[in-house]
Amino acid sequence: LRAMAESVREMDTGVRGQLRVGVIYSTALIATQLIKEYHQRFPKVDLYVRMGSPDDLLEDLWRRGPHVLFLRDQSRRPYNLKEQVLGEDPLELVMCPETDPAPGQDAVPIQALRDVPMCLLGNDDLWDYSRGLVAECHRAGFAPNVVCQCYDTPMELQMILAGFGVGFLPRSIGKTCPGSAVYTKPVLEFSPMSYPILLWNNDPHHAGCVRQFLALASQLQEGKQTQAANFIK
């Protein structure tokens, strides 16, 4: 009986329990960093992590599948969900050395993209990444040379790795291929931003381990904001 009572107390405080997390590919690096920090603090909590598309994960959330989702601010989502922005992630060109339109430069002038083969997410995707870059090219007086439209980010990365063209994705995605030749560069005088977010149901009856995860995410984000404010001062 004492063991059972202790187990119930641990579940209520979040020391034990089950945490189910949904992740889209473009937030994998951010999600794993937070999940690792959480596991170090609460090693007895069982973790279940699933990667999927935003639509599939949101549907699962309504079915009480995952407790929390890692998405991007551009994804379509219902308005009655709670969310927290987890930081800024600049949108940059993703390339290999053989497809770099401005070798030796830290940033790529927009005119250097004229006639450069591009692999971009399709116009009917969930994101506005490509739309902004295409509009910027048109403002510079040319239409981008889009040789391939990809349905999802992993496929776009594979096409970039194959040397098929240059992509345009959040900077953090370049770090998901360690040991590869992929790297990112910003477009000169064009600085769009993407925002990874944490999304969850506004349920007052969340288990203790879920409440602890949300509290940790909020705590870590507040710490980042304080560091940034101190740096500015």
Side-chain angles (χ1 to χ4, degrees), residues 25-26 72 89-102 106 108 113 116-121 129-130 133 153-177 180-187:
Y25 184 86
S26 68
R72 292 270 172 180
D89 200 357
L91 294 171
E92 297 187 349
L93 296 168
V94 187
M95 64 198 73
C96 293
E98 62 267 27
T99 57
D100 191 336
D106 294 332
V108 179
L113 293 176
V116 170
M118 294 187 186
C119 302
L120 303 178
L121 290 176
Y129 304 159
S130 307
L133 179 63
T153 302
M155 192 65 247
E156 182 174 348
L157 271 178
Q158 289 302 313
M159 298 300 286
I160 295 167
L161 278 166
F164 207 77
V166 172
F168 192 64
L169 295 167
R171 179 195 291 168
S172 65
I173 292 178
K175 300 177 181 178
T176 61
C177 301
S180 74
V182 168
Y183 56 93
T184 67
K185 285 185 180 182
V187 179

